[in-house]
Amino acid sequence: PITLAEDCAGVIEFFSSDIGEPDAQIAAMFATVAGQLAQYLERRRLQADESRRVEQMLRAERDRAQRYLDVAGTMIVVLDAEARVLLLNRKGCAVLGRDERDVLGHDWFELAVPKHERDAARAVFAQLMAGDESAGGNENAVVTLDGQRRTIAWHSTILRDADGTVV
């Protein structure tokens, strides 16, 4: 048996074409292997439990942050380094006329910036990603789901990781 404490996690069976006399050394070796397997399985179970706990904490933290962002009276958009939408609050969804699930993970410039303004907007984004904080504040148009053009006054903020790298 593969046991840890009083719990049986499984059984190892070996088959042979001939039946020999019981060998204490072989039985001890199999008991050792079974014990090591049980410890490995227990470590994996504990790691999985910890991973689930951390995921639940992160999900709860994200949900709480999303609730704070959703009550904001302004549109809040968070982009990753490739300009994909990581977060769009409720006001942003209303301004664009889109559901959050239709926006998350998509290229912001392809999704919301008028075609003739995309190159200029991408250039400003590249400056921001290079760390140029002065490139952030301006006014641009966005295009809603139904094709309406809306002018938005923006303030861009650069987010950095613990090492100071722009994210």
Side-chain angles (χ1 to χ4, degrees):
I2 302 173
T3 59
L4 191 61
E6 299 297 318
D7 295 328
C8 180
V11 176
I12 301 176
E13 290 187 84
F14 295 94
F15 296 94
S16 175
S17 59
D18 62 321
I19 300 174
E21 292 295 319
D23 185 324
Q25 285 183 321
I26 292 175
M29 179 187 66
F30 288 142
T32 300
V33 168
Q36 290 173 344
L37 278 172
Q39 289 175 4
Y40 168 78
L41 292 172
E42 179 65 11
R43 279 194 308 273
R44 291 290 303 216
R45 185 188 65 76
L46 291 173
Q47 289 171 345
D49 289 350
E50 179 65 12
S51 292
R52 280 191 291 280
R53 188 183 69 74
V54 168
E55 285 175 24
Q56 287 174 340
M57 286 175 44
L58 290 173
R59 194 172 319 130
E61 184 65 28
R62 184 183 189 287
D63 291 348
R64 185 170 51 249
Q66 186 68 47
R67 284 192 303 275
Y68 292 139
L69 294 173
D70 282 344
V71 297
T74 61
M75 179 175 175
I76 299 173
V77 181
V78 178
L79 306 178
D80 68 8
E82 286 79 39
R84 288 184 304 259
V85 178
L86 295 176
L87 183 139
L88 180 67
N89 71 342
R90 187 176 297 149
K91 180 69 173 187
C93 291
V95 167
L96 295 177
R98 297 178 181 267
D99 289 333
E100 182 184 30
R101 68 178 176 274
D102 298 329
V103 175
L104 296 181
H106 292 276
D107 182 289
W108 171 253
F109 301 106
E110 295 295 321
L111 183 80
V113 177
K115 196 171 204 168
H116 69 281
E117 295 179 20
R118 287 181 190 156
D119 289 340
R122 285 186 193 278
V124 170
F125 183 74
Q127 287 178 292
L128 285 166
M129 291 306 298
D132 182 1
E133 307 247 0
S134 66
N138 53 19
E139 192 173 278
N140 292 94
V142 294
V143 179
T144 64
L145 179 62
D146 61 4
Q148 290 182 7
R149 180 183 165 99
R150 299 181 89 175
T151 302
I152 308 283
W154 289 100
H155 173 75
S156 299
T157 302
I158 297 173
L159 302 175
R160 299 177 188 273
D161 64 13
D163 298 327
T165 304
V166 175
V167 295

